[in-house]
Amino acid sequence: MNTLLLILLCVFEAAFAITAISRSADKKGWQTGRLICNGGQLCLFLIMLIAPGIDMSFRFMGLFVLLLLRILIAFIGMSFVRNKEEKRKHPAVIIFSGLLSAALITGSMIPSFVFTDYSGLPLSGAYDVAETNAILIDESRTEEFESDGSKREIPIYFYYPANAAENEKFPLVIFSHGAFGYNESNYSTFTELASNGYVVISTEHPYHSLFTTDTVGNTITVDPSFMNGIMTINTEDVSEEVIFELSSEWLKLRSDDLNYVIDSVKGAAGGSGLPDSWFAEAGEMENIITALSKTNTDKIGVMGHSLGGAAAVAMGRTRNDISAVIDLDGTMLSEITGVENERDIIRDDPYTVPLLSFDNEEHHFAAEEARAENMPYANNTVHDNALTGFRTYIKGTGHMNYTDLPLYSPPLASMLGTGTVDASECMLTVNRICLEFFNSFLKGEGDFIVQECIGIS
């Protein structure tokens, strides 16, 4: 519908230009026609708000503001035109004005083509889902990306059952996003789990995330050095030593973040108040306390996508209070202990926590090739030594198909790597399997089984 809207708005511009040229409009006539044209465009937009895919969200807010401004400017321009006869508008000027208007309209509508009106997938659970958020301030760590001595701040986002019984408690699931990710990267997963009786916390890693906000309201964007590092390790000529050095640094930051989040939640769950290390906007404190009161910290699952998946696997190694781990298409970098002769040294002791990992199709076959050539590959070694390990891949998937990004912004997801699989059906499948896995190992509901390869028609 956004394409139709753009075409119709441009038709208005073309009709106005043709009319102005054919009538040899003077300045006053042109200004009057411009006001009528802009008013008609605004009316068209308002009428099309009833159409699917057209709304007043940020996707169309730029267009709405532009149309209002153009009406205002046209009205002011018409008011200042003298009543006496004016010179005729030159056709070239009219054509240029129309082309400029079409360009401005097209530019203002770019967000509507880059992003969809996605607001989540259908939920299977019986619980309504409530949301709240806070920022945890780790006074023990100085923010390494700043030079002002400020402390590390970690935004967290809760998703929890809203209509649960007063004393009902639910297992806790902690999520870590991928490089350049953000807190809603797997929104459908969070809400699906919460609707089925889980408290989910999506942890945001400032300077590793695309953008986030600190306690004073500043927007924190991804750190350029981190971005360059990610680009570096994806080049073919980079050494294994460089990859190991960079990934170890990134995983330490994320592990420290996740450890602080888990410890803070365990310390605050069931209490009547929050310590000063918890920062929240006015009105959110009560919601946070409610979410914490519903949290069973004796049952904790950790999951993540990509680099976040690697961090989740690390949590299963270093903490004794983790009951289940899910890795969404992440190389298990924490299992690499060093590099010798350009070959990874991978720990081969048992991975004791129940582990489920998803691969995209390309990564699956790369892992199979590494096994056939007897090349070290962390994910292979971990699963070979996992006491309770499950591994699967979905046909036709790319790296970003294990997030909601293909549903929210297909163009951006395509740039970062998607496959041919239907994005909605893929995430519904991923969410179902994650739920079944956590149900089995956090709630003790049934034996978990998953196919090695999953096809989606």
Side-chain angles (χ1 to χ4, degrees):
M1 294 301 293
N2 53 353
T3 301
L4 175 61
L5 175 60
L6 176 59
I7 291 173
L8 292 176
L9 291 174
C10 289
V11 167
F12 266 82
E13 290 295 334
F16 166 61
I18 293 171
T19 301
I21 292 173
S22 63
R23 294 184 178 180
S24 301
D26 59 15
K27 188 173 183 179
K28 183 175 182 179
W30 184 84
Q31 289 284 13
T32 302
R34 167 52 67 195
L35 181 61
I36 294 172
C37 175
N38 292 344
Q41 290 171 323
L42 179 61
C43 290
L44 173 66
F45 171 67
L46 295 176
I47 291 172
M48 289 198 68
L49 286 175
I50 64 174
I54 309 293
D55 53 47
M56 286 295 288
S57 68
F58 78 97
R59 300 171 60 238
F60 292 96
M61 189 54 64
L63 173 64
F64 179 64
V65 171
L66 175 67
L67 295 177
L68 284 178
L69 286 176
R70 284 167 60 81
I71 289 176
L72 178 62
I73 293 171
F75 180 78
I76 293 173
M78 187 178 70
S79 300
F80 280 94
V81 173
R82 297 189 299 271
N83 290 326
K84 66 179 183 179
E85 184 178 352
E86 297 281 348
K87 292 182 179 180
R88 306 298 181 189
K89 276 280 189 179
H90 195 283
V93 175
I94 296 175
I95 293 172
F96 176 78
S97 174
L99 292 174
L100 178 61
S101 295
L104 289 173
I105 291 170
T106 301
S108 70
M109 289 188 65
I110 287 176
S112 73
F113 290 95
V114 175
F115 303 98
T116 69
D117 58 350
Y118 172 71
S119 59
L121 293 174
L123 304 180
S124 67
Y127 296 101
D128 296 331
V129 178
E131 302 177 25
T132 189
N133 61 86
I135 299 177
L136 298 179
I137 306 168
D138 187 351
E139 293 289 346
S140 69
R141 298 162 62 199
T142 300
E143 180 53 74
E144 62 187 67
F145 292 96
E146 298 291 347
S147 58
D148 59 1
S150 58
K151 300 304 181 181
R152 178 70 173 173
E153 298 183 0
I154 311 161
I156 58 174
Y157 300 81
F158 286 85
Y159 302 82
Y160 60 97
N163 55 328
E166 183 177 353
N167 296 320
E168 199 170 5
K169 290 184 177 290
F170 307 96
L172 172 65
V173 174
I174 306 289
F175 182 87
S176 175
H177 61 73
F180 318 145
Y182 72 120
N183 68 85
E184 291 187 342
S185 68
N186 286 66
Y187 179 81
S188 68
T189 310
F190 310 151
T191 53
E192 172 66 1
L193 290 173
S195 77
N196 281 277
Y198 290 87
V199 175
V200 182
I201 295 179
S202 175
T203 303
E204 209 158 41
H205 304 283
Y207 303 96
H208 279 198
S209 63
L210 185 61
F211 62 89
T212 189
T213 304
D214 64 14
T215 52
V216 295
N218 294 326
T219 298
I220 308 298
T221 57
V222 63
D223 179 67
S225 63
F226 172 67
M227 182 181 296
N228 291 335
I230 293 293
M231 301 303 178
T232 297
I233 68 171
N234 286 322
T235 58
E236 294 183 357
D237 57 348
V238 64
S239 68
E240 294 298 325
E241 286 85 356
V242 170
I243 295 175
F244 175 71
E245 180 181 349
L246 289 173
S247 61
S248 297
E249 176 186 332
W250 300 334
L251 284 174
K252 183 181 186 310
L253 179 141
R254 285 170 174 255
S255 295
D256 289 345
D257 284 352
L258 293 174
N259 277 318
Y260 189 74
V261 170
I262 295 172
D263 290 341
S264 296
V265 171
K266 291 181 69 173
S272 58
L274 296 175
D276 293 339
S277 57
W278 289 72
F279 172 87
E281 298 292 340
E284 291 299 329
M285 281 297 187
E286 184 176 346
N287 295 331
I288 294 168
I289 292 173
T290 298
L292 290 170
S293 70
K294 298 178 183 295
T295 305
N296 177 10
T297 55
D298 292 332
K299 292 294 183 179
I300 303 176
V302 185
M303 66 183 301
H305 173 252
S306 191
L307 187 57
V313 173
M315 289 294 98
R317 278 289 193 191
T318 58
R319 298 186 67 103
N320 59 11
D321 55 359
I322 305 301
S323 300
V325 173
I326 296 178
D327 176 11
L328 298 174
D329 203 31
T331 301
M332 300 177 189
L333 299 169
S334 63
E335 297 295 301
I336 302 172
T337 60
V339 177
E340 184 177 340
N341 298 323
E342 280 297 298
R343 291 171 67 95
D344 292 332
I345 302 172
I346 304 169
R347 51 188 304 176
D348 57 3
D349 53 319
Y351 193 89
T352 59
V353 178
L355 171 65
L356 167 64
S357 68
F358 292 81
D359 293 325
N360 75 55
E361 190 167 31
E362 181 181 353
H363 287 174
H364 166 76
F365 288 112
E368 291 297 304
E369 183 179 352
R371 187 182 296 279
E373 297 178 359
N374 199 31
M375 292 292 292
Y377 184 62
N379 292 35
N380 288 343
T381 303
V382 172
H383 276 285
D384 289 344
N385 294 287
L387 299 184
T388 309
F390 305 89
R391 194 173 187 179
T392 187
Y393 77 97
I394 297 176
K395 288 183 179 180
T397 49
H399 187 55
M400 301 311 297
N401 285 118
Y402 292 100
T403 72
D404 286 3
L405 187 60
L407 302 170
Y408 181 61
S409 178
L412 290 179
S414 179
M415 290 172 58
L416 296 172
T418 54
T420 58
V421 69
D422 179 88
S424 294
E425 292 300 323
C426 181
M427 282 309 298
L428 286 170
T429 301
V430 169
N431 296 344
R432 173 181 57 79
I433 294 172
C434 289
L435 175 62
E436 292 172 354
F437 178 77
F438 282 139
N439 281 348
S440 179
F441 294 102
L442 296 184
K443 293 184 176 182
E445 297 179 357
D447 296 326
F448 178 75
I449 300 174
V450 67
Q451 295 174 293
E452 178 185 0
C453 175
I454 299 172
I456 297 176
S457 59

